[in-house]
Amino acid sequence: MQEVLSMQEVPGKQEVPGMQKKNRDQIVFSQQPTSGSMNIRDAEGLSRQQGDQACLESNRTSTQEELENKQDVLANEAGALVALRRELQQRLGVERVELWLDQQVIFQIKGGVSPETSLGELTLQVGVPTPFQRDWLRRRLLKPLRACCQRVWQCDVNVIFHVLEQEERSPGKATNSEGWTGGDGKAVRRDAKVTLVEENRPAARQQPEGAISPTGKPCSSSTCQSHARSSRTRKIAEKRPVSSARRASVAGHGTFATFVAGSCNTLAHSTARLTAEQPGRYCPLLLYGPSGVGKSHLLSAIRQHARLQSPRLHAIGLTSEEFTTQFLEALNRRSLPSFRQKYRTLDVLLIDDIQFLARKRATLEELLYTIDTLHKRGSQVVLASDRGPGDLQAVSPDLVSRISSGLAVPMDLPDYATRVGIVRNLALRMKVEIDQQVSTMIASQVTGSARQLSGALNRLLAGSMAMGQPITPELARPALAEFSQQNTPSVRLPDIQRAVCEVFCVEPASLKSNRKSRSTTQPRMLAMWLARKYTRSALSEISDFFGRRSHSTVISAQKKVESMLKTQTEITVADRSCHLEEAIRRVESVLRRA
C-alpha cells in the first residue's frame, strides 16, 4: 500500500532517497525504504535528538557567558566595584551611600572561576567594625546590593556581611581616595570627606599601592591627584558645608608648619602635636584662650597631621554651631541612628567654640554621650573654647567633669617675641617685603591677637599700594598709630571694677571698703594692677576710685601682684582656690566681652 502526499515540486530541488516520482504533481514514498533512507519514526527521533543537542549547546553557551562575566569581574575588581558604587548611588542616592558606607566599611570580592565552579561561589564580602553596624547594614542594604550586583555584573553573587578583625581595621592597610577595594583583595575604604581633603594635600605625598582612579583603573600618584580634582568631586564639595577647621585646612594655614610657637602657647603646641601623633592619649583635650590666639589653627593642624600619619584614620572637625545644626536636622528627619553612627565611630573628633552650647540641653546631652562612646573606643576628642573649665561650669558641669578626666591647656595672647614671628610668617604668606624695623614696630604697637597683626599688615600693604611706595618705617608709623587707635578697646576704671566683681563674686562696695579680709584685699589689689595695665589713669586717680588715701597703696598693690605672679601663688576666687594667672585670664575675658 502506498501513501501519496501531494505537494508542488520545487524546481531544482534534490530528490530524497526513498522517493519515487509518480508524475509531475505527486511524490510516492516507497513502503520499503532504500539504502540510506529513514521512516517517520526515525525522523522524529532524529529531530528530538537534534533539539536536545541545541538545548545543551544553548545552556553551555549561557554558562560560558556567565563564567566569562565572573572572570571579567575578578580580572577587573577595581572597576567592578566602582561600577557597583555608581549603581548603588543611582538606586539609593549619593548622600545615603556616603553616609552608610563610610571609610570603615570595607568591600572585597572573593572566589575562583573554572568550568566546574558554581555561580554562587562568587562572593562580595562587606566588612564593618561592629556587630551593630553589621546587623544594621544587612537589614537595609542586602536586597539593594544583590540587585545592583545582578544588574552590573550580570551574574548571581553571594553577599556576606561580617565584622572585621582588629588587624583589618589597622591604619597600615593600603587605601585610596575612592574608597572601595582595589585588586588582589586589597581593602580600600569609601570616604567622600577624605576625597575632598586629598585634593589639597601636597603633591609629594605618595598614593598607596593598588590605588584606583574614579574610572576604576589603577593610577599613579599624579593621575590619582588629577582624578581627585574631577568635576564630580567639585560638585560634592559645593554641596557640603565646610567647617571652620576645614576651611583653615583648605587654605593651607592650619598646619603645625605655619603655627608660630612661643612662651604663650608652647604647652598647647606640644600637646597638640603629641595628640596628633598618638590619638586617644588625652581624651578629651580642651584648648582654651581668648579669640585669635590660634585654637582653631591647632585644631586644623591636629586633623591634618593625624591624617598624614594614618591615611585611613577618620577625623571630622567642625564648630559647635554646625554640630547643633546637624543634630537638629537629624531630629527633624528622624535619622538619629545615622547621625550617631557618623560621629560615634570616629577616630578623631574636633569641635570648636564649645561655649556656643550654653543653654542647649539636648545638644549637650548628645555631645556628652558621643564623648563617652569615643572615649571607650580609644578615640580622640579635642575641644576649643574661649573660656576655661571654671567658666564652662555655667555651660555644663557634666562637660567640665569629662574635661577634668583629660587635659585642659590654656593659650594666651602672643607676647612680643611671638608677635614678631607671627608678623614675619604673615609677611611670607602674603608675599610682602618688610624690613626688621617695620616688623618690630608692628609687634610693639599692636599688642592684640594674631588677627589684629594680620589686619595691621593689611593696612600697611593697602597704604603702600595706594601711595606707590614700599613699606618703610616712615610710612608705617602714622598708619600703625591710626590702626591702634581704631582697634584698641577703651577700658575704664568702672569696667575693671565690674569685671573683678563678676569673677570674684564680690560687691563693688567691698572693693572700696576698709576691710582687711583676704576675700576683699586680693580682688582689690588685682583691680589696681589691671587699672595700671589697661588704663592711663594716674596713681592718685586710681587710689581715689578704690577708696584709698594715698597713691602709694596702688604702687604697693602693683608690686605685690607681680611678686605673686612670679611665685605662682594661688588665691581664692568665688570660694575656690585658683592660680593668680587663671584669675587674671578670667577677668580679661570678661573685659573683652564688655
Side-chain angles (χ1 to χ4, degrees):
M1 181 178 179
Q2 292 182 341
E3 296 178 0
V4 179
L5 176 64
S6 297
M7 59 180 291
Q8 184 70 28
E9 185 177 4
V10 180
K13 182 176 181 69
Q14 183 178 2
E15 294 184 1
V16 180
M19 290 187 184
Q20 296 178 359
K21 185 182 297 185
K22 185 174 181 180
N23 54 38
R24 184 176 180 85
D25 298 325
Q26 291 181 336
I27 298 179
V28 179
F29 286 89
S30 300
Q31 194 171 14
Q32 297 296 327
T34 61
S35 176
S37 64
M38 63 177 68
N39 56 24
I40 296 178
R41 289 183 180 180
D42 293 337
E44 290 177 352
L46 179 60
S47 176
R48 283 195 301 269
Q49 183 178 2
Q50 291 176 348
D52 292 341
Q53 291 178 353
C55 183
L56 290 175
E57 288 293 336
S58 176
N59 292 338
R60 191 176 296 112
T61 303
S62 176
T63 304
Q64 185 65 27
E65 290 178 354
E66 292 177 348
L67 290 175
E68 291 176 356
N69 288 338
K70 289 181 63 180
Q71 289 174 343
D72 292 340
V73 170
L74 291 176
N76 189 13
E77 183 179 352
L81 288 174
V82 171
L84 176 61
R85 181 201 62 191
R86 292 173 180 169
E87 181 66 24
L88 276 175
Q89 289 176 345
Q90 292 179 1
R91 181 179 290 264
L92 303 177
V94 176
E95 294 184 357
R96 184 176 296 181
V97 171
E98 291 175 354
L99 180 64
W100 290 2
L101 306 180
D102 61 2
Q103 86 296 337
Q104 296 189 0
V105 179
I106 298 177
F107 285 74
Q108 286 182 305
I109 299 178
K110 291 190 176 181
V113 179
S114 64
E116 294 80 13
T117 303
S118 64
L119 293 178
E121 291 186 9
L122 185 59
T123 302
L124 176 66
Q125 293 187 352
V126 184
V128 296
T130 63
F132 170 79
Q133 290 176 277
R134 177 197 60 194
D135 299 337
W136 193 90
L137 282 177
R138 181 187 291 143
R139 289 194 301 269
R140 290 163 175 79
L141 197 63
L142 181 59
K143 291 183 179 179
L145 199 55
R146 282 177 175 172
C148 291
C149 290
Q150 176 65 35
R151 180 178 178 84
V152 175
W153 298 342
Q154 300 297 321
C155 63
D156 294 331
V157 179
N158 288 334
V159 180
I160 298 178
F161 293 83
H162 66 97
V163 179
L164 296 171
E165 300 293 337
Q166 187 65 33
E167 307 82 54
E168 297 177 286
R169 298 197 298 265
S170 62
K173 283 210 167 192
T175 66
N176 72 40
S177 61
E178 280 301 313
W180 295 63
T181 55
D184 303 329
K186 294 183 180 178
V188 183
R189 297 183 303 184
R190 168 70 183 149
D191 186 1
K193 298 179 180 175
V194 176
T195 305
L196 299 180
V197 174
E198 286 180 352
E199 292 184 42
N200 303 281
R201 288 186 181 171
R205 184 182 170 192
Q206 295 294 328
Q207 294 289 337
E209 183 181 358
I212 57 174
S213 68
T215 60
K217 297 179 180 180
C219 62
S220 62
S221 175
S222 59
T223 56
C224 279
Q225 291 174 0
S226 63
H227 283 306
R229 292 188 291 269
S230 62
S231 59
R232 172 185 166 276
T233 305
R234 287 195 296 270
K235 291 180 181 179
I236 297 177
E238 292 173 359
K239 294 181 180 179
R240 287 180 171 270
V242 184
S243 64
S244 60
R246 184 174 294 176
R247 279 193 294 268
S249 173
V250 171
H253 299 166
T255 63
F256 287 118
T258 58
F259 187 83
V260 180
S263 59
C264 57
N265 53 28
T266 301
L267 179 60
H269 178 260
S270 59
T271 304
R273 182 176 286 275
L274 182 61
T275 300
E277 294 175 352
Q278 303 178 18
R281 177 83 178 259
Y282 305 112
C283 183
L285 171 65
L286 174 66
L287 303 175
Y288 67 95
S291 177
V293 296
K295 302 184 299 294
S296 300
H297 190 124
L298 284 182
L299 290 183
S300 177
I302 291 173
R303 183 176 181 275
Q304 288 241 48
H305 191 78
R307 290 305 309 273
L308 291 175
Q309 294 288 322
S310 302
R312 293 186 62 184
L313 183 139
H314 192 193
I316 291 181
L318 72 168
T319 64
S320 58
E321 187 270 337
E322 291 170 342
F323 184 85
T324 302
T325 301
Q326 295 182 22
F327 173 66
L328 295 179
E329 289 179 354
L331 281 177
N332 294 332
R333 297 178 180 178
R334 299 181 180 179
S335 57
L336 271 181
S338 299
F339 175 85
R340 288 167 178 166
Q341 181 191 11
K342 175 181 178 180
Y343 286 103
R344 297 186 184 184
T345 58
L346 293 173
D347 298 313
V348 179
L349 174 62
L350 308 102
I351 302 181
D352 201 358
D353 299 327
I354 203 68
Q355 72 279 354
F356 177 81
L357 298 180
R359 297 182 296 277
K360 294 178 174 59
R361 185 173 60 182
T363 307
L364 272 170
E365 184 177 356
E366 180 67 25
L367 177 62
L368 293 176
Y369 281 119
T370 301
I371 293 176
D372 292 340
T373 303
L374 293 177
H375 182 70
K376 291 177 182 178
R377 295 182 71 251
S379 301
Q380 179 67 53
V381 179
V382 185
L383 309 174
S385 172
D386 63 357
R387 308 175 192 179
D391 294 331
L392 288 177
Q393 288 282 349
V395 177
S396 172
D398 294 332
L399 178 61
V400 175
S401 175
R402 285 159 176 78
I403 292 174
S404 63
S405 67
L407 181 63
V409 181
M411 297 180 68
D412 295 325
L413 289 171
D415 53 14
Y416 174 76
T418 307
R419 291 197 299 270
V420 172
I422 293 174
V423 171
R424 292 174 181 171
N425 197 356
L426 290 172
L428 289 175
R429 189 182 307 166
M430 298 168 62
K431 298 180 180 179
V432 179
E433 294 184 2
I434 58 174
D435 56 17
Q436 179 69 22
Q437 186 177 356
V438 174
S439 62
T440 55
M441 185 182 300
I442 297 174
S444 59
Q445 295 190 26
V446 182
T447 59
S449 64
R451 293 192 180 100
Q452 292 182 342
L453 293 172
S454 178
L457 198 56
N458 286 331
R459 173 66 179 81
L460 295 181
L461 180 59
S464 173
M465 294 176 64
M467 300 179 65
Q469 299 178 4
I471 300 178
T472 60
E474 291 75 17
L475 176 66
R477 192 171 291 108
L480 290 176
E482 179 184 357
F483 180 85
S484 299
Q485 185 178 2
Q486 293 175 351
N487 293 274
T488 301
S490 60
V491 179
R492 301 172 301 168
L493 293 176
D495 298 331
I496 294 176
Q497 175 184 274
R498 191 161 42 248
V500 171
C501 291
E502 179 180 341
V503 172
F504 283 84
C505 299
V506 296
E507 296 295 329
S510 64
L511 294 181
K512 301 180 180 181
S513 66
N514 294 324
R515 297 176 185 174
K516 301 295 184 181
S517 62
R518 182 175 298 177
S519 60
T520 302
T521 58
Q522 287 180 345
R524 183 191 298 142
M525 288 189 302
L526 182 57
M528 294 180 183
W529 182 81
L530 290 171
R532 289 291 294 166
K533 179 179 180 180
Y534 288 106
T535 69
R536 298 182 179 181
S537 302
L539 294 174
S540 58
E541 186 178 357
I542 297 175
S543 62
D544 292 340
F545 182 83
F546 288 104
R548 303 298 96 190
R549 297 180 180 179
S550 173
H551 68 277
S552 61
T553 307
V554 180
I555 298 175
S556 175
Q558 186 176 0
K559 293 180 179 179
K560 181 69 174 176
V561 171
E562 291 175 354
S563 175
M564 294 169 66
L565 286 173
K566 292 179 180 179
T567 57
Q568 297 182 351
T569 305
E570 291 187 353
I571 61 175
T572 303
V573 178
D575 298 330
R576 294 181 182 179
S577 179
C578 175
H579 284 285
L580 180 58
E581 291 182 353
E582 177 63 24
I584 294 174
R585 191 179 294 110
R586 294 186 188 180
V587 176
E588 290 175 339
S589 177
V590 175
L591 284 174
R592 281 189 291 270
R593 296 199 303 266

